[in-house]
Amino acid sequence: MNHTNKSKENEKLESQILETAKVLFAKNGYKKTNMSDIAAAVGINRPTLHYYYRTKDILFESVFAQLMQSFIPKIELISVESISFEEKVDRITDEYMSIYIDNPYLPQFILSEIQRDPDYLMSVMERLYFDKYLQILEKLIKNEINEGKIKDIPSSIIFLSFFSQMVSPFLSKNILIKLFLKDEANFIPFLSEWKKYVKKQMKVLLFSDEK
């Protein structure tokens, strides 16, 4: 086997490890997922897994980095585009929904890790420069408030309103299907309708005058 083919196989296996770890971390949480579980799910032995990722912390950080890198650059680009703040809200909502559809365990993963060890999660975020991403959004919001384009609302309220609406269908998926959708095939079409609702609610929060 030549070096090129071996490198491609290594890249393929590493990608498989990351995808498998992502699902297991999301389903079981960091604490209840061990390296043996991940190795078994991939179909390799534990020494092989340690060759790619020496510790569970390193693997967890790599998984988290992959998830962050899937949307942070897109959000940054949207934030500097020459479009209205309202359009930016729509575009960011579209990006987040797309990420959650591609990674349906992600909402539960984030919430479980916040509950498990918020300090550790924040330390990982800081190492991945997630604070830079938050600063970009914070600056964008403050500029819009200062220019009188949106209501003067704390960033924490904006974040919680957006995040809670985005994750709720994924957290309640099973009961949602049982009670209303009747079939899992109806879940993705439902998300398209829900996304429209989220956009409307965010516009009410940000732009509409209180009655």
Side-chain angles (χ1 to χ4, degrees), residues 5-119:
N5 289 338
K6 189 173 181 180
S7 295
K8 288 182 178 178
E9 286 190 5
N10 288 342
E11 289 175 5
K12 184 178 179 181
L13 180 55
E14 185 170 4
S15 176
Q16 188 179 356
I17 290 170
L18 282 173
E19 287 302 310
T20 302
K22 179 169 66 177
V23 172
L24 290 179
F25 279 135
K27 289 177 69 175
N28 305 323
Y30 174 89
K31 192 172 183 179
K32 293 182 180 179
T33 301
N34 58 55
M35 295 293 269
S36 295
D37 295 331
I38 296 167
V42 176
I44 58 177
N45 58 38
R46 187 159 175 165
T48 300
L49 177 58
H50 283 293
Y51 170 79
Y52 287 91
Y53 296 97
R54 191 173 69 256
T55 68
K56 186 168 75 167
D57 278 356
I58 292 173
L59 180 52
F60 179 86
E61 189 166 322
S62 296
V63 167
F64 202 80
Q66 186 185 64
L67 291 169
M68 293 297 101
Q69 290 165 1
S70 68
F71 68 90
I72 286 180
K74 296 177 182 177
I75 303 302
E76 286 186 283
L77 287 174
I78 292 171
S79 70
V80 298
E81 280 190 26
S82 298
I83 56 177
S84 69
F85 188 75
E86 186 172 343
E87 290 174 292
K88 289 177 182 179
V89 170
D90 286 348
R91 293 277 302 280
I92 290 173
T93 303
D94 289 338
E95 289 295 341
Y96 268 91
M97 185 60 78
S98 177
I99 290 159
Y100 289 158
I101 289 173
D102 290 340
N103 303 277
Y105 293 114
L106 182 56
Q108 182 61 52
F109 168 72
I110 293 172
L111 290 177
S112 66
E113 291 310 305
I114 288 172
Q115 295 300 318
R116 183 188 69 84
D117 191 343
D119 291 335

Side-chain angles (χ1 to χ4, degrees), residues 122-205:
M122 286 305 300
S123 70
V124 173
M125 288 181 172
E126 287 172 2
R127 289 196 295 275
L128 297 173
Y129 303 106
F130 187 73
D131 54 333
K132 176 187 172 185
Y133 158 69
L134 292 178
Q135 288 168 9
I136 290 170
L137 292 181
E138 182 82 19
K139 182 179 178 181
L140 178 62
I141 290 169
K142 285 184 177 179
N143 286 343
E144 294 295 312
I145 291 173
N146 290 337
E147 293 177 11
K149 294 180 179 178
I150 64 174
K151 292 187 290 185
D152 189 357
I153 299 172
S155 297
S156 57
I157 300 299
I158 296 173
F159 166 79
L160 186 59
S161 299
F162 180 76
F163 182 72
S164 61
Q165 290 183 89
M166 291 298 291
V167 303
S168 59
F170 297 92
L171 299 179
S172 58
K173 178 181 176 182
N174 291 338
I175 192 67
L176 187 63
I177 291 171
K178 290 288 186 183
L179 291 177
F180 303 107
L181 305 181
K182 308 305 180 185
D183 192 309
E184 187 165 356
N186 296 323
F187 185 63
I188 298 300
F190 168 79
L191 291 178
S192 295
E193 291 302 309
W194 180 253
K195 184 170 66 173
K196 296 176 186 176
Y197 171 84
V198 173
K199 290 178 180 180
K200 288 179 180 178
Q201 290 303 307
M202 291 307 297
K203 288 168 187 174
V204 168
L205 175 69

